Each structure stands twice: as structure tokens, then as C-alpha cells.
Amino acid sequence: MAKVLPHLDGVFIQAVSEVATVNHMYGCGGAGLRCMTFTSSPGFSLMLEGISYMIGAEVPGVFVNVMRGGPGLGNIGPEQADIKLACRGLGHGNTHAITLAPADPQEMLDITILAFELTFKYRNPVIILGDGYLGQVTGQVKLPKDMVKPGIPDWAVYGDEMHRRNLICSIELSEPDLEIHNIHLNEKYEQISENEQRADLFHCDDAEIVFVASNTPSRMVKGAIQDLRKQGIKAGLFRPITLWPFPIKHFVPLLKNAKRLIVVEASNGQLEDELRLALSLQEIHNFPQIEHVRRFGGVLPQADEIIEIVTAEKEVQA
Amino acid sequence: MAKVLPHLDGVFIQAVSEVATVNHMYGCGGAGLRCMTFTSSPGFSLMLEGISYMIGAEVPGVFVNVMRGGPGLGNIGPEQADIKLACRGLGHGNTHAITLAPADPQEMLDITILAFELTFKYRNPVIILGDGYLGQVTGQVKLPKDMVKPGIPDWAVYGDEMHRRNLICSIELSEPDLEIHNIHLNEKYEQISENEQRADLFHCDDAEIVFVASNTPSRMVKGAIQDLRKQGIKAGLFRPITLWPFPIKHFVPLLKNAKRLIVVEASNGQLEDELRLALSLQEIHNFPQIEHVRRFGGVLPQADEIIEIVTAEKEVQA
Amino acid sequence: MAKVLPHLDGVFIQAVSEVATVNHMYGCGGAGLRCMTFTSSPGFSLMLEGISYMIGAEVPGVFVNVMRGGPGLGNIGPEQADIKLACRGLGHGNTHAITLAPADPQEMLDITILAFELTFKYRNPVIILGDGYLGQVTGQVKLPKDMVKPGIPDWAVYGDEMHRRNLICSIELSEPDLEIHNIHLNEKYEQISENEQRADLFHCDDAEIVFVASNTPSRMVKGAIQDLRKQGIKAGLFRPITLWPFPIKHFVPLLKNAKRLIVVEASNGQLEDELRLALSLQEIHNFPQIEHVRRFGGVLPQADEIIEIVTAEKEVQA
Amino acid sequence: MAKVLPHLDGVFIQAVSEVATVNHMYGCGGAGLRCMTFTSSPGFSLMLEGISYMIGAEVPGVFVNVMRGGPGLGNIGPEQADIKLACRGLGHGNTHAITLAPADPQEMLDITILAFELTFKYRNPVIILGDGYLGQVTGQVKLPKDMVKPGIPDWAVYGDEMHRRNLICSIELSEPDLEIHNIHLNEKYEQISENEQRADLFHCDDAEIVFVASNTPSRMVKGAIQDLRKQGIKAGLFRPITLWPFPIKHFVPLLKNAKRLIVVEASNGQLEDELRLALSLQEIHNFPQIEHVRRFGGVLPQADEIIEIVTAEKEVQA
């Protein structure tokens, strides 16, 4: 990025810390400019105070968190253990942000373009969650045909005449005023929930065994499904592209055929929690007991253990 | 504390920032000393990276977050909008920490004493969530009869002969080793979940209307219940003292009589989410649709609107 | 600068602190790029650790310190009380840097261009000392006819093939090696001292009363001299443009006619100390006793008190 | 200190950075408490902004700088290259602080006790300059017979009734007021200069060859003098204990017999500059040309080269 951005009239800054970074993001987004930053788990934790400020002040910005093994310093292997941090934690106060989970290089590109659209559409930060494997993989991607040069939005605090009277802040000393602001934010979250649910369905039409997985683990599941299908087992993958809002609309129709629900993830159930919460909030209580394959600390779920959970159970049932 | 601690052989440090604070906590807890810190919402966000390190390294420490109006700078009125941050978010990686929610001055004292016991018992940080009202209220408290002077635990990195070979860190470069460490932490979370659920039940024996509330809002609910009881309405309060683990064991028996479940909170449903998730993880899907009273930005739910939701509904039913 | 630089293929960064700034300077200069920063007294103090690192690692960079009233926070009036900090203090270790003192807008421009030449010529930071008055004055300046786009020097640590094997650091663990490096730096200081002494002489040819002053106070002295000349008093101004190295070569010839030496400065004798030290190091011990006019805290020496010291003395002598 | 201080009713704090440290010092000294800190060259540079604030606000505090090889990171060998930083540089603005240079363990103790007396007497920071050798040497010391427990001075901003109305700050927005404050500080510097010059004279009574040296190099000189005396050469050592104010009063009488002046130091002439400046400010211009032995980068001047400069010259003269 340091080499590419200057040729595109952009600027690359190596900030002195993650706390500095998120405040650069606040300033840059507040000026109406398209800005993004990249970090890995511990750095993302450090940005949460600032992200809460950006949400409160309705400042756009795209944050990429390449999730690594944790907790603490951990290692740089792939994990998905920050899903709860992006989907639930996002700093103090009533906060939410669209959280996107790409699964391959092309999607990493497309989703980043989408993230910029969404962050300006809703004036709310957008989070892209990758994992340590995606953070290091390379692949050919198809670039968009043309690049749009965006202007400075009306609300921005930019240094020209037109934007100078604008004000952006997250302080609201009067309690009734801050309540009104929170109600406004909650309505925005509702609207996002309604409009922005995205999912990828793989062999789901007739699926009796529905896997739920995102990021790199979803690719392991796809491999497993191809094997299972060869064995005549009707398996499919529901892959949330938006982890928040969880794409429950696209999931509910699958419950008609589903006999088993299996969440495959590189975390201690954080994706499963999102699914459970989404079902509960829809007042959906009739579904197969959720099973899971979970790995940790930089180890990814492998195709054979994904196949095993299906076939082993079958044998037992048989 | 600055004045009291030196007389008790303690030390009070005014740290230069919240990032410094959490690293002081790491160092102090790592040395096996009883340490605690106090902050309010934005400061707590800034501590999450360090808390994840402490959880990863199994370092004890007590964190008090007096939740205020958010997001961002917000105001210093009472809110409960960091429940998800303490119960779900707690920094990157697979993390959990016991989260305690006192409701009055005596409990603030008792729970803090308990927090120190628990943080050393499990070698895991413990969070105490207050709210902006509790942070400013005063009241008479009954002190414990005697003060125990604890020694330095075996595992601590203290400067004497006995403790010098100990090592505390959160880095684990090998993925299989970090997986083993995560499995160990998950087992600890399970054990905590099993052993440490705590709740306060108020008029719950025959309650048909079960309120769920914590912190200061629970006191408004208690007032409302007294009024409702006078009207012959069988209302009760389920008050989680541990927000994580959610005291689902103590809640389930109430479902037998409960005709309505009403969560009263100063947040956009963060306590309700904990309840929903706890029910779902227990595979409990048969319960009355959850209703709620929610206020924001430093405004607390008031007794009359709590009463109103009960009586208004009754009228409609009538 | 934030608005102008991007149009000139440059970059403007608002750093998060002065400590961050000097490290940005280290990085930028180490990459062989022309970089400068602006600060006012307290900020300059904070940069001294980094400047010592840059001197040790032979990294170029231009620092502008607009000296304000001190010590501590002080005020933003004009003072010259950081002369010793630039000429003597410049951070720990054996350090020196060319220190330039402009007196008007045109010279502020010309000296800055010169500063970039010198900082790359010697691979050593260059300091420009302004004062609070210069920092706020405006005036028409004549721009140079053409702008030279410099390349990346051989020694730089730039991201391309050619520069990748270069190494820049200020650590030298072996004492004999660090001694050799210090001898090299001392030789460089000698060479600078020999080559770069610059001064402006005003009515000095026949001056019997030689004023020494720099920055804005030199303009007050010029006004006073014009008055004194009208009275038939042979007064002149010796204005060091380089405060370090002190332009002693250009000063010595004036001693032939000089009957009085008067240092006029907005500090407690810091410019006078530079003069005294330069004379002593040249083993020049035969000169009129040095007199002075000194003001402090944002107050500048005024023409009348400069005239007064000359005429009052004359009266006494008469 | 971490182990000893708590037993003496003291507190030891490991600060998060040198910038934090100097601000802790400001706070602690401002509260009227005896506080000191230890650092090595780069850390001392980072403290200069804060030291200027303390001087401006008249806050006491003792700073120990164990000078190491520089510039920049350098190494941890002994050097004396921060003399100019302590005696001239001491942060922006018109600043001065008593600078003490011990030469052995007993003096390190005695001078530290003295430093506390002086810093409170003058309400001005005091600097103790050690060197990398002194920083690592051990030796038996004689402790004072009794320890005085000081009270809180009248001016301090302490948390009790009596001290609560006090105010300490370094800001003075009005220029005439800041000038008055500077004149007050300058008078204090004068008074210190008059009262606090300290030196150790070794074989100086009849010395024709007067060495000037401080810290560890002075011990090398003492060894050399013993050898020279055996050869019948009348050599003596003038060892400044206060580097600022330079003890010129004690030096001047030696000029009567002195035929040669030789400054021995582990820096590029910083001690010699202090001597030259002190002579010039006393208007003393008649003295033998100053010679020197200088080493750098952690290398100390050795007895043989100190002897050599005397005897070699003699041979040449012979």
C-alpha cells in the first residue's frame, strides 16, 4: 500500500501505535476521506475505544482485522476468535458495525470495495474480519473496470469554505439528548439489519446437513461437502458474509430440510453464538440441536474431521 | 484510595493512561499481588488488549468499570451499555471473565472482596460493572470483621528466591501448543460457569411476571414490584449478580410459573442478549416471549414505566 | 503546508506527539527523503532524544524551533532562550548541529532552502531557530526560479533494490568502535566549523560600537544603529546567521576598531555565552568587556534601551 | 530501591516511560515530597521538557543521569558527554540547575543527600551526573547517623486542608509577568552561583601542572598524579564537584602557580567548555593555554596517557 497509494493520489501513513491509528482514522473519516487500516487481533483490541468514538460521532472508516491466535500475544496462525469482539464487543456504549468475512482473495477485494460503500452510506465504521491464513495467501483477482473518485460529503469537516461550519463529536452532556442520539443509532442498526444481510449458499437447496462456517474454515467445509455429496449425503454450506448483521433471513428457509446443523469454526463458539442469538431474536426455537467442530490457537478445522462428524454420527445412528 | 491504602500497607498509583494502567495490573498481578483499578467506559475499552493478555497469561486482577453514557465520550450519566463488552467482548481471542454487577453500596464492598477471591482462585481477571449512579452514591456499609493478609502464591513472578524461576507470558508460538492452552482456558471457563453462577431473587417464589434487571435499574424494578404486589400482581425480580456466567441455573426454575419475562435495562438489549444466549445454550426454547424496558444515554428506566408495561398489557388483554 | 505539499508531490503528516515527530523524521531522513518539522520550545525539548539518535546515525532532517517564552509552558511571545539548547544541548552524547537564525521572512525562506542543502551535505540534522515574532509575521518573499527534485542518496534505506542493503543505526556496542565513530563525528563538526560560519555585517566597517544580535532583536538593533549613526556614533551590528558554528572568523576582524561590544538578546545571556566560548576557543583574550541588553518572557529589547546603553555610558564617560 | 523504599515508608514506581517519569517527578515534587529518578543518557534527553517545566514552576526533584556512550543509543560504557546537557541544555527557556558530579560510592551517597537539601532549599531540580563506570561499581559506604523525616513545605500542593489553596504551574500568559518571573529565576541562579560552588583539591597547594577532571576520569588523574609526584613533578587535580555552578572561586587561586592546565575528560570538551565559560564570565583572560586528554564512546582516559601528556611535553621542551 505504501508504494501503490501515492500513485493513486492516496496517502499511506505508518502510525506510531494502534491508539494513534484509530485516531488518525477518526480524523480522516471525519474529513470525509476514504480511509482504512489493517491490524491483527491485539491491535484491534486497542482500537476499540476509538471505534466507539467513531460510531458515536457517525464517522466512516474501514477496519481490517486479520484474526490471529490468542488470547494475548498468542501467535500469528489463523483463528476466528475476534468474531465476538467485532459483532458484540465493538467498544463501550451501544455500538454495532457491519462485519464482513471474506473467504478468498477475490472476495477480499470485492468486500473491501463494498465496505467503503457501506461505511459512507451509513456513516458508521465497517469491520472486515480476515484470518491468519487469508492474511498470507495470494491469488489472482479481477479488478473493477473503473475507479470512482469520490467527493467530500456534505457533513464532513474539511478545510474548505463549504465544510468549515460542520461539527463532529461524540460528546453529548445532556442525558435526554444522548438518549435521542442513541435511539437514532439504534434505528440505524435496525435499518442495517434489515438491508445488509449477506450470505453465500453452497449446495443448500436440498441440504439435510447444513454447515455454518465463514472465512478460511468455510473452504475446508466446501471440500468436505464435495466428498460427502459423492457419498450421497445431502450436505450444504451456509456461509455468512455479514457476520453482523447475521444473515438470518437467508438462513431460515434452510431449516425446512435441515436435519442437522453443524457450525465449523476456529474459535470457542463465537460464530455459533451469533447464530443462536439471531435465531432467538427471531423467536425461532424449533431447529435441530446445534453441533460443532472447533479448533483453536492457529489450528484450522480439517476436511476429515468435518466429514467424520457427519459419518461417525451416521454410523452410530445406524 | 490514595489516602487509605498507604495506611494498609498498600500502594496507590495514578497511572499515565489506561493502557499504562492495564500493564501495571499485568505486572502487579503477575507478581502475585492483589491489585484493582477503576475506570469508566472509554477507559475500559482501552484496557481490553491488556485484559486479553492477562487472561492468556492467567494473571489475576480486579477491574471496576463504572458504566457511563456512550458511545464515545458520551456523558457521565448511568448506563449499562458495556455489558456486552465485559460478557462477550473482553479483548481479542477466546476470552471470558467473571463479571459481577452490584446494586448498592454494601454489595459494592462485598462483591469487591469476592472478586479478589475469585480472581486468585481462577487466575483470571474479574470485572465489576457499576453504573454512573452507583459510582456517585454513598451509603453506610458493614465492614468485614477481620482483614486477611494474603501471601504470594506459588506461581507468582516475585523478586524473591522462591518465585524467581517462574515465568508468565501470553505468547505461544507453536499452534498445537496454543490450541492446548486454549482448551485449558475453555475448561476453566466451563468450570467457572458451573461453579460461580450467582443471583438475587426478589419475590420470585410465585412470580408470574418475572423481571430481569441488574445494577441500579434493579432497584427501580424492586420499587415497581412492591407497587404491583399491592395491586395483587404476582411480580418478581431475577437479578443476576454474575452477568457472566449468566446464572441460568437459578433462572430456569422460575420458568415454571412465569407468564411474562420482562428485561429492564439501561442499554439496547445487552442484558437480554445474555439471557437469550444462556437459554439457547441450555437448549431451552420454551419460554414466554421476552419483553423489555430500555433507556439510554444516562437516563434510567423509571418505576412508572416498569409498572406501565405490566398494567398496560393487562388492560389490552382484558 | 497541509494544503501546499500534496500539490508538490509532498506529504504533510500531523504527528500524535513531538516524540512521534522526531521518530518520523528519523525514518523519513533515513529513507533519504527531505523532511522538516516545526515546533515551539517545549516540543523541541521533547525532540532532543531523537535528534541525538539522528546525529549518531548520521540522518538528515530540518528542525524549526520558533522559540517562545519559557521556561516550561511559559507563553507564546518571542524569546531566544533555546539558543543554548540548539548550540550546546542538542541531546545526550557528543552532538552538534548547524543552527541557523533568520531575521525576516525572506531569510526564513532562503535559510530553509540552505538548511536542506547542509543537512544532506553533512548527513546531520540542521536547526532553524526563529522566535515568536518571526513565527507570526508575514511578508512578501522572492521564490527561487526553479525547484530541484532531488534523488535518493546512495546511503539511504529506501525500499528499492539499490538501497535495500543499507543499514542506519546509532547503536555501537563495542567501545573502541563507538570511539572511532565519535572521532569521525568530531571531525565532521570541525569541518562544519571551518566551512559553514555565516554572518551578516551591518555598518561594521568602521564600527567602534559593535552590537551582536540575532533573530528579531537584530532588527531592533538595526533601527537603533540608524539613530546612533545620525548622532555621529560609529555603531554597527554583527549578526550571526549561524549560531553554531559561531561565525568567529567574521567577528575577529571587527575587534581592531571595536571599543565596545554589546550583546542584545531576548535571553539570559545565551548568545553572549556562544560569543565568549568562540573567543576563548580561538584563544582570543584581548577584547573590550562585553556589555548586554537582555529581555525575557516574550518581551523584546526595544530600540530606545539599545540606544540608551550607548548614550548613557557616553554621558557617564563624559 | 524497589525493595528498600517500602521499609522506609517510601514508594518505588516503575514508570512506563521517561516522559511519564518526569511528570511523576513534577507531581511528586509539587506535592512537597522528596523524589528522585535514575536514568541513562537517552532517558535524560526525554526528561528535559519536564525539567524545564519543573524549573519554571519551581518544583524540587533529584535526577540521576548515569552518562553512557552516545550519541543516540550508543552503548552502556562510561562517558561524560551529557555535561553540556546538564550545565547548558536543561530544556528550553532560561534554565539552570545545580549539577553534581560524584567520583566514588561514598560521594554518590553523600552527594545524593546534599542534592535533596539543595533541591528543596532553592525549589529547583538538582542533577547528579554519574558515568557508566560509577553506575556499576560497588563499595562500602558510611551511612549518616540519623535519618530526618521531612515535613510538607508550606508552598506544596498537598491534599490536606493547609496546602489545598496552593497553586503550582509554569504558565504565565502575560509577557511582563513572565519577564518578572524570569528575573526572579535569574536572581536565584545568581544566588546559587554565589553560594554553592564546590570542588575537591588534590595536591593543588604547589601545583604547577593543574589537571581538571570529574567523575571516574578524576580517579585516573589521581593515580597519574601520584606517579608524577614520584618523578618530582608538581601536579595537582582540581575536581569540580558542582559542574554547574562551575567552582571558579576555588579554581582562580590555583592560577598563581599553574604553568599548565590540562582537562581530562570522557567527552569532546564539554568540561573544558564549562571551565572556559567560567573564566570568561569572570573576565579572567590570563591563563596558560588549556590542553586536554579526551576519550569517547565508553573508553576512559588512562593513567599512562595522562602521564604521557605531561612527560612528552617535558621531553619536547627539553
Side-chain angles (χ1 to χ4, degrees), chain A residues 84 88 94-95 179 295, chain B residues 84 88 95 179 268 295:
Chain A
K84 44 113 191 205
R88 300 286 125 211
N94 296 310
T95 53
E179 177 159 64
R295 296 306 297 266
Chain B
K84 44 114 192 207
R88 300 287 125 210
T95 53
E179 178 160 64
N268 64 348
R295 297 305 298 266

Side-chain angles (χ1 to χ4, degrees), chain A residues 109-110 113 142-147:
Chain A
L109 175 64
D110 297 342
I113 295 169
K142 212 176 143 186
L143 289 169
K145 280 196 195 115
D146 31 44
M147 202 172 78

Side-chain angles (χ1 to χ4, degrees), chain C residues 45 52 70 72-74 81-82 84-85 88-89 91-95 170 178-179 182 186 268 276 280 283 295-296, chain D residues 45 52 70 72-75 81-82 84-85 88-89 91-95 170 179 182 186 268 276 280 283 295-296:
Chain C
S45 288
S52 174
L73 195 49
D82 306 349
K84 44 115 194 207
L85 203 57
R88 299 286 124 209
H92 60 284
N94 296 310
T95 52
S170 75
L178 187 54
E179 178 160 64
N182 266 277
N186 289 340
N268 64 347
R276 286 185 178 277
S280 176
E283 306 297 347
R295 297 305 297 267
F296 309 101
Chain D
S45 288
S52 174
L73 196 49
N75 63 34
D82 307 349
K84 44 113 193 210
L85 203 58
R88 299 287 125 210
H92 60 284
N94 296 310
T95 52
S170 75
E179 178 159 63
N182 266 277
N186 289 339
N268 64 347
R276 287 184 177 277
S280 176
E283 306 297 346
R295 297 306 297 266
F296 309 100

Side-chain angles (χ1 to χ4, degrees), chain A residues 23-75:
Chain A
N23 286 292
H24 285 309
M25 291 286 289
Y26 188 119
C28 200
L33 300 168
R34 325 243 134 185
C35 54
M36 77 185 298
T37 188
F38 318 79
T39 189
S40 181
S41 305
F44 189 64
S45 287
L46 275 168
M47 293 180 187
L48 290 174
E49 188 218 20
I51 291 177
S52 174
Y53 276 69
M54 290 176 74
I55 292 172
E58 306 200 77
V59 170
V62 174
F63 292 81
V64 178
N65 175 6
V66 175
M67 296 181 285
R68 70 196 230 188
L73 197 49
N75 63 33

Side-chain angles (χ1 to χ4, degrees), chain C residues 200 202 204 207-214 218 221-222 224-225 228 233-240 251 254 260-264 271 275 291-293 303 305-311:
Chain C
D200 171 40
F202 179 78
C204 279
E208 294 175 353
I209 293 168
V210 175
F211 287 102
V212 179
S214 64
S218 72
V221 173
K222 283 192 179 178
I225 286 170
L228 290 166
I233 298 170
K234 290 181 177 167
L237 167 68
F238 177 81
R239 180 168 70 87
F251 183 75
L254 310 193
R260 294 178 67 187
L261 293 179
I262 306 171
V263 183
V264 179
L271 180 59
L275 170 60
E291 301 163 86
H292 53 248
V293 178
E305 58 189 325
I306 298 166
I307 293 167
E308 170 83 1
I309 194 176
V310 175
T311 51

